[in-house]
Amino acid sequence: MTSPSWLRCASPYLLAGLLTVTGTAHFLAPRPYAQIIPEQLPSPYGLVYASGVVELLCAAGLAFPRTRRATAWATAVLFVAVFPANVKMALDSTDRSLPYQVAVWTRLPIQVPLIWWAIAIARQDRPGSGA
């Protein structure tokens, strides 16, 4: 079963919107992001700002058909790359409220459909796909 054509057309823009929101949040509220950077990595705030820039660049790249395919692959890699920080956030949540713990643990499996979404966009825009 395939998705409706309007959804396939809107999909890159919806993902770009999500990345715009999350990328912007890295600059508006960097502290929570810096706190989840694994200790083994240097310069937590630098990494937060860098990942925010990458998310915004991915958002922009998804918005343009010429760059969409490569950017969708880069977005999938980005989602994989930030997964350790999401794991750390969940592991460090034991002293937080139950709703917070549920939210951060629920967030982990949500990464999988986000990765698949980016890959689906990359594949729909492959040469010869008619997209």
Short mmCIF file of all heavy atoms in Angstrom, two decimals, residues 21-44:
data_model
loop_
_atom_site.label_atom_id
_atom_site.label_comp_id
_atom_site.label_asym_id
_atom_site.label_seq_id
_atom_site.Cartn_x
_atom_site.Cartn_y
_atom_site.Cartn_z
N VAL A 21 12.08 23.24 13.57
CA VAL A 21 11.68 23.45 14.97
C VAL A 21 12.77 22.94 15.91
O VAL A 21 13.20 23.65 16.83
CB VAL A 21 10.33 22.76 15.26
CG1 VAL A 21 10.03 22.75 16.75
CG2 VAL A 21 9.21 23.46 14.50
N THR A 22 13.24 21.71 15.69
CA THR A 22 14.24 21.15 16.60
C THR A 22 15.58 21.87 16.47
O THR A 22 16.25 22.10 17.48
CB THR A 22 14.41 19.63 16.40
OG1 THR A 22 14.80 19.38 15.05
CG2 THR A 22 13.13 18.88 16.72
N GLY A 23 15.96 22.22 15.25
CA GLY A 23 17.22 22.94 15.06
C GLY A 23 17.20 24.30 15.74
O GLY A 23 18.17 24.70 16.39
N THR A 24 16.10 25.01 15.62
CA THR A 24 15.95 26.31 16.26
C THR A 24 15.98 26.18 17.78
O THR A 24 16.59 27.01 18.47
CB THR A 24 14.64 26.98 15.81
OG1 THR A 24 14.67 27.11 14.37
CG2 THR A 24 14.45 28.34 16.44
N ALA A 25 15.38 25.12 18.29
CA ALA A 25 15.37 24.90 19.75
C ALA A 25 16.78 24.75 20.32
O ALA A 25 17.03 25.12 21.46
CB ALA A 25 14.53 23.67 20.08
N HIS A 26 17.71 24.25 19.51
CA HIS A 26 19.09 24.11 19.97
C HIS A 26 19.70 25.47 20.31
O HIS A 26 20.59 25.55 21.15
CB HIS A 26 19.95 23.42 18.90
CG HIS A 26 19.76 21.95 18.83
ND1 HIS A 26 18.60 21.37 18.37
CD2 HIS A 26 20.59 20.93 19.12
CE1 HIS A 26 18.73 20.07 18.41
NE2 HIS A 26 19.93 19.77 18.87
N PHE A 27 19.23 26.51 19.66
CA PHE A 27 19.76 27.86 19.90
C PHE A 27 18.95 28.61 20.96
O PHE A 27 19.50 29.39 21.72
CB PHE A 27 19.78 28.66 18.60
CG PHE A 27 20.74 28.09 17.60
CD1 PHE A 27 20.30 27.23 16.62
CD2 PHE A 27 22.10 28.38 17.68
CE1 PHE A 27 21.20 26.66 15.72
CE2 PHE A 27 23.00 27.83 16.79
CZ PHE A 27 22.54 26.96 15.80
N LEU A 28 17.64 28.35 21.01
CA LEU A 28 16.79 29.05 21.97
C LEU A 28 16.92 28.48 23.39
O LEU A 28 16.78 29.22 24.36
CB LEU A 28 15.33 28.98 21.52
CG LEU A 28 15.01 29.68 20.19
CD1 LEU A 28 13.55 29.49 19.84
CD2 LEU A 28 15.37 31.16 20.26
N ALA A 29 17.18 27.19 23.49
CA ALA A 29 17.29 26.53 24.80
C ALA A 29 18.38 25.47 24.73
O ALA A 29 18.10 24.27 24.73
CB ALA A 29 15.95 25.91 25.19
N PRO A 30 19.66 25.88 24.67
CA PRO A 30 20.74 24.91 24.50
C PRO A 30 21.05 24.05 25.73
O PRO A 30 21.58 22.95 25.59
CB PRO A 30 21.94 25.78 24.13
CG PRO A 30 21.64 27.10 24.75
CD PRO A 30 20.14 27.26 24.67
N ARG A 31 20.72 24.53 26.91
CA ARG A 31 21.13 23.82 28.13
C ARG A 31 20.63 22.37 28.19
O ARG A 31 21.42 21.47 28.48
CB ARG A 31 20.70 24.60 29.36
CG ARG A 31 21.24 23.99 30.63
CD ARG A 31 21.03 24.92 31.81
NE ARG A 31 21.67 24.34 32.97
CZ ARG A 31 21.07 24.20 34.13
NH1 ARG A 31 19.84 24.61 34.29
NH2 ARG A 31 21.72 23.66 35.14
N PRO A 32 19.33 22.11 27.96
CA PRO A 32 18.88 20.72 28.05
C PRO A 32 19.60 19.81 27.05
O PRO A 32 19.87 18.64 27.35
CB PRO A 32 17.39 20.78 27.73
CG PRO A 32 16.99 22.20 27.91
CD PRO A 32 18.22 23.02 27.70
N TYR A 33 19.93 20.34 25.89
CA TYR A 33 20.67 19.55 24.89
C TYR A 33 22.10 19.29 25.37
O TYR A 33 22.62 18.19 25.21
CB TYR A 33 20.68 20.26 23.54
CG TYR A 33 19.31 20.37 22.91
CD1 TYR A 33 18.59 21.56 22.96
CD2 TYR A 33 18.74 19.29 22.25
CE1 TYR A 33 17.35 21.67 22.38
CE2 TYR A 33 17.49 19.39 21.66
CZ TYR A 33 16.79 20.58 21.73
OH TYR A 33 15.55 20.68 21.16
N ALA A 34 22.73 20.31 25.94
CA ALA A 34 24.11 20.16 26.41
C ALA A 34 24.19 19.12 27.53
O ALA A 34 25.18 18.38 27.63
CB ALA A 34 24.67 21.50 26.89
N GLN A 35 23.15 19.03 28.33
CA GLN A 35 23.15 18.08 29.45
C GLN A 35 23.07 16.62 28.98
O GLN A 35 23.40 15.73 29.75
CB GLN A 35 21.99 18.39 30.39
CG GLN A 35 22.18 19.68 31.14
CD GLN A 35 20.97 20.07 31.96
OE1 GLN A 35 19.84 19.67 31.68
NE2 GLN A 35 21.20 20.87 32.99
N ILE A 36 22.63 16.39 27.76
CA ILE A 36 22.50 15.00 27.30
C ILE A 36 23.65 14.56 26.39
O ILE A 36 23.67 13.44 25.91
CB ILE A 36 21.14 14.74 26.61
CG1 ILE A 36 20.99 15.54 25.32
CG2 ILE A 36 20.00 14.99 27.58
CD1 ILE A 36 19.78 15.17 24.50
N ILE A 37 24.61 15.46 26.19
CA ILE A 37 25.79 15.08 25.40
C ILE A 37 26.60 14.09 26.24
O ILE A 37 26.92 14.38 27.39
CB ILE A 37 26.65 16.31 25.05
CG1 ILE A 37 25.85 17.33 24.23
CG2 ILE A 37 27.93 15.90 24.34
CD1 ILE A 37 25.52 16.92 22.83
N PRO A 38 26.92 12.93 25.70
CA PRO A 38 27.73 11.97 26.47
C PRO A 38 29.05 12.61 26.93
O PRO A 38 29.67 13.40 26.22
CB PRO A 38 28.00 10.84 25.46
CG PRO A 38 26.82 10.90 24.54
CD PRO A 38 26.51 12.38 24.41
N GLU A 39 29.45 12.27 28.17
CA GLU A 39 30.64 12.88 28.79
C GLU A 39 31.91 12.65 27.97
O GLU A 39 32.86 13.43 28.06
CB GLU A 39 30.87 12.32 30.20
CG GLU A 39 29.80 12.63 31.20
CD GLU A 39 28.63 11.65 31.14
OE1 GLU A 39 28.80 10.52 30.65
OE2 GLU A 39 27.54 12.04 31.58
N GLN A 40 31.94 11.60 27.18
CA GLN A 40 33.13 11.27 26.39
C GLN A 40 33.37 12.28 25.26
O GLN A 40 34.46 12.32 24.69
CB GLN A 40 33.01 9.87 25.77
CG GLN A 40 32.87 8.75 26.77
CD GLN A 40 31.41 8.54 27.23
OE1 GLN A 40 30.52 9.32 26.95
NE2 GLN A 40 31.21 7.46 27.97
N LEU A 41 32.36 13.06 24.94
CA LEU A 41 32.49 14.02 23.84
C LEU A 41 32.86 15.40 24.38
O LEU A 41 32.38 15.81 25.43
CB LEU A 41 31.18 14.09 23.05
CG LEU A 41 30.76 12.78 22.38
CD1 LEU A 41 29.40 12.94 21.72
CD2 LEU A 41 31.80 12.33 21.37
N PRO A 42 33.70 16.12 23.64
CA PRO A 42 34.14 17.45 24.10
C PRO A 42 33.10 18.53 23.79
O PRO A 42 32.23 18.35 22.96
CB PRO A 42 35.41 17.68 23.28
CG PRO A 42 35.15 16.94 22.01
CD PRO A 42 34.35 15.72 22.41
N SER A 43 33.23 19.65 24.46
CA SER A 43 32.49 20.87 24.16
C SER A 43 30.98 20.65 23.95
O SER A 43 30.48 20.81 22.84
CB SER A 43 33.10 21.55 22.93
OG SER A 43 32.48 22.78 22.70
N PRO A 44 30.25 20.32 25.02
CA PRO A 44 28.81 20.05 24.86
C PRO A 44 28.04 21.17 24.16
O PRO A 44 27.25 20.90 23.26
CB PRO A 44 28.32 19.85 26.28
CG PRO A 44 29.52 19.48 27.07
CD PRO A 44 30.68 20.15 26.40
#
